[in-house]
Amino acid sequence: MSTQWEEAAREVASALAADAVEREVKGGEPRAEVDLLRAHGLLTVPVGDWPLVHRVLAEVAAADASVGHLLGYHYLHVWRLGLFGRPEYADEARRATAEHGWFWAGVANPRDDALVMSEVDGGYLVSGRKMFATGASVADRLVVSAVHGARKVTFVCPGDAPGLRPLGDWDNLGQRLSASGGVEFTDVFVPEHDILGAQPDPADPRYPMANLPALAFQLVLSRVLTATARGALATAAEYTRRFTRAWPASGVEKAVDDPHTLAVYGVLTARTDAADLLVDRAAAAFAAADAEGPALTPEQRGATGLAIASAKALASEVALEVTGRVFELTGARATANRYGLDRFWRNARTLTLHDPAVYKAAEVGRHLLTGELPPVTGYS
């Protein structure tokens, strides 16, 4: 039986699909899209129920990969609040999210120069610039990482805090409605109350759990990629049923009777199913790791990372294959801009460049040959 959130996700997906082409061409800030998620209650899905989270995410991302990207990251930022040993703060923030419909985003791209914190009375001032802060420009609350001395510190701040300026510089090939541009901090005041905590040292028993978010983000991207492939297949199949003409050499009157068309759709569907199942397996491994809490061991985290690396490698490959090959099945007229079928490939291509999938495959290969588990990094 479907939950209220799954039913809501289907309603949102239907609404997004109805004008996906027009919205994607326009681009800009996805305020209306976030409002749609808010109005249907999808910002309050229980973040600890990972199977439910992934079912909801798959529905939304198949219709619009940008909105799926935003929603998946929102869930992770709300979940991350509970990793810092401040359960009362996390509970308070989650209640406020449910009450006010807050949308959460983050500012923590690991490859940028770090934001810098300096102490002042009652808290800290934060300055610096971060790029690729997905969703930050439309967020009600941000989870932010900065450096104070030699430590990485994570804190919460309002999306409209004085001194915080979205750069509005996201104008990319795909994910055009993901608000993934940069953000600049100029003496943004963060009260002591909103400091979540510092990153523990590698020798600290809490270190594996504290570094679980890097894997969580990889898992969400994997799900968005397989959902993008699924959305491309569904959209292309509808076009083939309605518009595609059989090729003269096929010997059939309808495209849906062409053995070549049937076989390629079958192969692409099977490949997408396989990638989805691998992401399901990785999601189950992540849920088990999350359930361990502070007792999570380095070995358990490493095994979880391996499962997610395997899923990400295949999801990236399949998403690019499916979103590119659907044009073989729809025909030349399907390249018309009014159909927007290329948006699936552009979204997949952009997402797969978040971090090179070849390094995920290398992690899997290294484990096979040497038994070594993936290292703890910002991406693994």
Side-chain angles (χ1 to χ4, degrees):
M1 181 180 296
S2 296
T3 66
Q4 67 185 80
W5 290 286
E6 289 169 272
E7 293 173 3
R10 283 190 284 271
E11 292 175 6
V12 167
S14 179
L16 291 171
D19 61 352
V21 176
E22 294 81 5
R23 289 185 300 101
E24 201 265 351
V25 168
K26 184 179 179 181
E29 299 292 330
R31 298 189 185 280
E33 289 77 4
V34 170
D35 284 343
L36 182 67
L37 296 173
R38 182 181 291 115
H40 283 77
L42 291 186
L43 300 182
T44 61
V45 170
V47 292
D49 188 342
W50 295 114
L52 172 61
V53 165
H54 277 266
R55 291 194 298 271
V56 167
L57 182 55
E59 288 281 354
V60 174
D64 190 317
S66 289
V67 182
H69 192 178
L70 291 167
L71 183 61
Y73 275 21
H74 162 83
Y75 292 146
L76 296 187
H77 291 303
V78 175
W79 163 74
R80 288 177 64 203
L81 297 171
L83 301 182
F84 295 89
R86 297 195 61 192
E88 297 85 1
Y89 186 96
D91 289 344
E92 176 187 340
R94 289 167 182 166
R95 283 194 298 269
T97 297
E99 180 181 353
H100 303 294
W102 283 348
F103 172 70
W104 290 74
V107 183
N109 183 12
R111 297 195 67 200
D112 286 342
D113 292 335
L115 301 175
V116 177
M117 305 176 72
S118 57
E119 289 189 56
V120 294
D121 288 344
Y124 302 83
L125 294 179
V126 179
S127 293
R129 178 178 289 204
K130 282 283 191 180
M131 309 306 295
F132 304 122
T134 296
S137 62
V138 294
D140 299 294
R141 291 294 183 274
L142 297 171
V143 180
V144 185
S145 293
V147 294
H148 181 238
R151 306 296 297 276
K152 183 175 84 169
V153 176
T154 301
F155 60 88
V156 170
C157 77
D160 60 354
L164 193 157
R165 181 175 72 92
L167 300 179
D169 54 357
W170 182 252
D171 182 23
N172 287 43
L173 178 76
Q175 295 300 96
R176 291 177 50 77
L177 285 162
S178 66
S180 289
V183 62
E184 185 175 63
F185 288 70
T186 303
D187 290 336
V188 174
F189 177 68
V190 181
E192 185 70 43
H193 173 73
D194 289 329
I195 302 296
L196 292 173
Q199 177 80 354
D201 295 325
D204 192 312
R206 299 171 300 161
Y207 187 75
M209 188 65 186
N211 284 281
L212 203 55
L215 300 182
F217 284 96
Q218 292 292 314
L219 181 58
V220 160
L221 291 173
S222 301
R223 180 63 74 193
V224 174
L225 284 166
T226 60
T228 300
R230 188 78 62 191
L233 274 174
T235 303
E238 179 62 17
Y239 183 95
T240 296
R241 285 189 289 267
R242 296 180 60 193
F243 303 120
T244 303
R245 296 180 295 178
W247 191 249
S250 68
V252 299
E253 293 185 2
K254 298 180 180 179
V256 294
D257 295 324
D258 185 334
H260 166 73
T261 298
L262 296 173
V264 175
Y265 267 120
V267 167
L268 296 183
T269 299
R271 294 266 287 155
T272 302
D273 287 346
D276 252 337
L277 288 170
L278 204 54
V279 176
D280 287 345
R281 188 188 74 162
F286 176 81
D290 184 34
E292 291 292 323
L296 183 68
T297 67
E299 292 75 22
Q300 289 170 318
R301 185 197 182 278
T304 303
L306 188 67
I308 292 173
S310 182
K312 179 75 178 299
L314 184 62
S316 299
E317 177 183 308
V318 168
L320 290 174
E321 177 188 13
V322 170
T323 58
R325 292 198 68 189
V326 290
F327 289 98
E328 299 174 24
L329 306 168
T330 52
R333 291 184 300 170
T335 63
N337 288 328
R338 66 180 178 274
Y339 298 120
L341 191 57
D342 62 308
R343 72 187 187 276
F344 295 102
W345 179 84
R346 289 186 290 101
N347 289 339
R349 180 72 278 180
T350 301
L351 282 170
T352 54
L353 298 176
H354 177 274
D355 56 295
V358 66
Y359 287 98
K360 292 290 175 286
E363 290 173 0
V364 178
R366 185 178 297 111
H367 180 261
L368 173 66
L369 296 175
T370 70
E372 182 180 344
L373 292 169
V376 176
T377 74
Y379 295 94
S380 65

